């Protein structure tokens, strides 16, 4: 009976995540790489676009990752369910805690990712595992889940970690994973969406941006964070040229307009 439940849950999760991957990544890809690519050309971090083989490689690895994520989730929510802190009845902890669990998951996942990511940049692990993700030196929305199977297991480990560290309603976890994937797509988008000088504001200096993560893919070192730059700033792994690059990307259009105005007035 339990294995029937496992298979049902696995199938449901795999189907939902696959649908989410193609819906969100596909919609964003279509918008930014076809509809808006001319309008937002100045916001593109790297002038060139990935090749068709890059997209197909990323999609293939992402589908494998989704199967691994579904397996981890089914193991945790079915086989390990009696032993975890995941719960189904909101009234068990109340609605206030239901919403409080989101920033708690955010902080735990952010720390988990940073240290797991840095670990995978150890020369041996990088060559054997993490290099697959870095084949996309110029990432696209399809790159969001493009992991080596072993890295996918590590990434999916957050499901296990949260289950034994923090009481989390299963619906809250599902919504959090939707946010996680959406922000991951932004991180690999190739375009900067935050406004000019955002990286210097009180909040913006701590937020991970598409520019920061694009630099990580382009140069392989520094900018290891997921949602924030807290850990990168604390441990000196934020690239020194990050703010300059953010300025270049977000000021390009403004500078271009200024130059055109000067030519018109001359």
């Amino acid at each position: 009976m339990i294995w029937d439940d496992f298979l049902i849950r696995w199938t449901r999760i795999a189907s939902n995540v696959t649908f989410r991957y193609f819906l969100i990544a596909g919609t964003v890809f279509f918008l930014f790489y076809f509809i808006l690519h001319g309008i937002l050309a100045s916001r593109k971090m790297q002038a060139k676009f990935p090749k068709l083989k890059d997209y197909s490689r990323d999609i293939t690895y992402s589908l494998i990752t989704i199967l691994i994520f579904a397996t981890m989730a089914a193991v945790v929510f079915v086989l390990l369910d009696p032993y975890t802190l995941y719960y189904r009845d909101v009234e068990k902890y109340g609605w206030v805690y239901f919403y409080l669990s989101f920033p708690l998951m955010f902080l735990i996942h952010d720390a988990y990712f940073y240290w797991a990511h840095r670990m995978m940049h150890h020369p041996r692990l990088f060559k054997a595992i993490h290099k697959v993700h870095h084949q996309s030196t110029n990432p696209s929305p399809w790159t969001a889940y493009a992991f080596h199977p072993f890295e996918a297991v590590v990434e999916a480990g957050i499901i296990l970690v949260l289950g034994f560290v923090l009481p989390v309603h299963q619906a809250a976890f599902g919504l959090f994973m939707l946010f996680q994937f959406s922000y991951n797509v932004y991180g690999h988008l190739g375009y900067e969406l935050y406004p000019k000088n955002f990286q210097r504001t009180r909040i913006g200096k701590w937020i991970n941006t598409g520019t920061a993560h694009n630099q990580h893919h382009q140069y392989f070192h520094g900018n290891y964070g997921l949602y924030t730059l807290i850990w990168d700033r604390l441990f000196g792994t934020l690239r020194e040229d990050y703010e300059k690059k953010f300025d270049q990307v977000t000021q390009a259009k403004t500078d271009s307009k200024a130059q055109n105005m000067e030519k018109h007035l001359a």
Side-chain angles (χ1 to χ4, degrees), residues 43-103:
R43 288 267 176 161
K44 185 85 166 58
M45 267 83 81
Q46 299 184 48
K48 291 184 178 181
F49 284 83
K51 297 179 180 178
L52 184 60
K53 66 177 182 179
D54 297 315
Y55 300 139
S56 60
R57 181 192 63 246
D58 284 348
I59 292 172
T60 299
Y61 275 112
S62 292
L63 290 175
I64 296 172
T65 292
I66 289 170
L67 298 181
I68 293 171
F69 275 28
T71 302
M72 178 68 80
V75 167
V76 172
F77 293 136
V78 179
L79 301 184
L80 298 180
D81 183 57
Y83 312 105
T84 71
L85 297 175
Y86 287 110
Y87 63 98
R88 295 180 179 84
D89 184 6
V90 175
E91 297 305 320
K92 184 175 182 178
Y93 293 99
W95 282 105
V96 173
Y97 179 78
F98 179 89
Y99 291 110
L100 180 63
S101 68
F102 287 97

Side-chain angles (χ1 to χ4, degrees), residues 105-173:
M105 285 189 284
F106 179 94
L107 293 173
I108 292 172
H109 192 198
D110 193 57
Y112 175 87
F113 180 89
Y114 176 84
W115 291 108
H117 193 185
R118 283 200 67 179
M119 176 187 71
M120 284 185 286
H121 272 266
H122 184 281
R124 291 184 180 179
L125 291 178
F126 182 88
K127 188 174 182 180
I129 299 174
H130 194 47
K131 186 178 179 180
V132 165
H133 190 62
H134 273 278
Q135 285 182 294
S136 298
T137 55
N138 187 11
S140 76
W142 301 115
T143 313
Y145 274 174
F147 305 130
H148 184 284
F150 287 160
E151 180 173 357
V153 172
V154 174
E155 299 289 354
I158 188 62
I159 305 173
L160 190 64
V161 170
L162 289 175
F164 284 97
V165 170
L166 187 72
V168 176
H169 192 279
Q170 288 194 15
F173 176 77

Side-chain angles (χ1 to χ4, degrees), residues 16-28:
N16 289 342
V17 178
T18 301
F19 176 76
R20 180 181 69 193
Y21 173 76
F22 283 105
L23 177 65
I24 298 177
T27 300
V28 171

Side-chain angles (χ1 to χ4, degrees), residues 16 178 183 255:
N16 289 342
L178 176 62
Y183 206 81
D255 293 346

